[in-house]
Amino acid sequence: MVWWLVLGLAAVAMAAGAWAAAGERRSLAHGAAAAAYILLAVWVVGQAGGRAFSGSESHLLGYFVVGLGILAAGELAAGWGSSALAARAPAATPLAAVLFALGFDFLRPDAYSYVPAAIMALLVLVVAGQASRRLATAKRGRRNPSPAQVQWRNLYIVCIALLLYAALYKTMDRGWPMLSAYAVASGSLLLGVAQLWWAWSVVLRQELAAPWLRRLALQAGVLLMVVGAFLVYREFI
């Protein structure tokens, strides 16, 4: 019961962060988001203990714990760090995305799912490629990005695409109950949409969604993925 209260507090912190972002209270928004990620990590470790980093399947929870820590650090750097740290804060999201993908154990697909997994990967690659080309085309005519910026943008997109594939693949994994599978798939889509909205605002200078809504979508996506994964891996604790 206590641990579900911690999870509830994490959800409240996310809502508070969205409220602060809507009121343009930047530091408070980042601080609330960091608190939410830390509470989620505490929720996992508090129940799994050392098994979150060891065991045949339960060790996969460790990737989520580390990813949440990186997201929290990114929020603190963006809201409370120096200008140099704030400029590097966005790197926390793709790094956490890769860790979450590893937590979904995407490197070990089951033999029965090779074909659908390949189709899923192809679809995700097509969508990611289209997004990359659209952003690259839109940037021309204003200012040509440097090779380093192009490489960083493509790497960023690949990391998010990897998470989308890993999470959507769980809907084909027989070892995952439908509720958990659809929770992590929905969470990854929310995170992907939030990142697309953010990219549009940065590159195209067009606000497809308010900043508070982007923040809430990303954090809700993280919440769904962490909870969905924990409900599966707790059976191995």
Side-chain angles (χ1 to χ4, degrees), residues 14-212:
M14 291 179 181
W19 171 80
E24 298 185 355
R25 299 174 177 86
R26 182 172 172 273
S27 296
L28 180 58
H30 287 295
Y37 294 137
I38 292 171
L39 285 168
L40 271 179
V42 169
W43 179 73
V44 173
V45 175
Q47 298 176 88
R51 298 287 291 177
F53 302 94
S54 63
S56 60
E57 298 291 334
S58 59
H59 79 279
L60 295 169
L61 287 171
Y63 290 110
F64 292 95
V65 174
V66 176
L68 289 168
I70 289 173
L71 287 174
E75 292 288 349
L76 291 175
W80 302 84
S82 63
S83 57
L85 279 176
R88 292 172 173 80
T93 302
L95 183 55
V98 172
L99 288 167
F100 289 169
L102 290 171
F104 291 130
D105 205 18
F106 77 99
L107 293 174
R108 296 188 300 174
D110 296 303
Y112 63 80
S113 65
Y114 286 161
V115 173
I119 295 173
M120 180 72 72
L122 180 61
L123 290 174
V124 171
L125 281 174
V126 168
V127 173
Q130 289 290 341
S132 179
R133 281 192 292 272
R134 178 69 179 89
L135 292 173
T137 302
K139 197 67 176 178
R140 295 191 191 116
R142 297 182 179 184
R143 183 181 60 186
N144 289 328
S146 67
Q149 289 174 320
V150 172
Q151 292 173 2
W152 166 241
R153 183 191 65 221
N154 291 336
L155 180 60
Y156 199 116
I157 292 173
V158 167
C159 292
I160 301 301
L162 184 64
L163 174 60
L164 285 171
Y165 163 73
L168 292 173
Y169 167 75
K170 294 293 107 178
T171 60
M172 300 179 288
D173 192 329
R174 293 176 184 171
W176 276 58
M178 183 178 294
L179 178 61
S180 293
Y182 280 96
V184 302
S186 300
S188 70
L189 290 172
L190 276 174
L191 185 146
V193 168
Q195 290 296 284
L196 186 61
W197 286 341
W198 174 73
W200 239 248
S201 67
V202 171
V203 177
L204 303 182
R205 309 298 180 186
Q206 297 175 3
E207 291 288 351
L208 297 181
W212 70 267

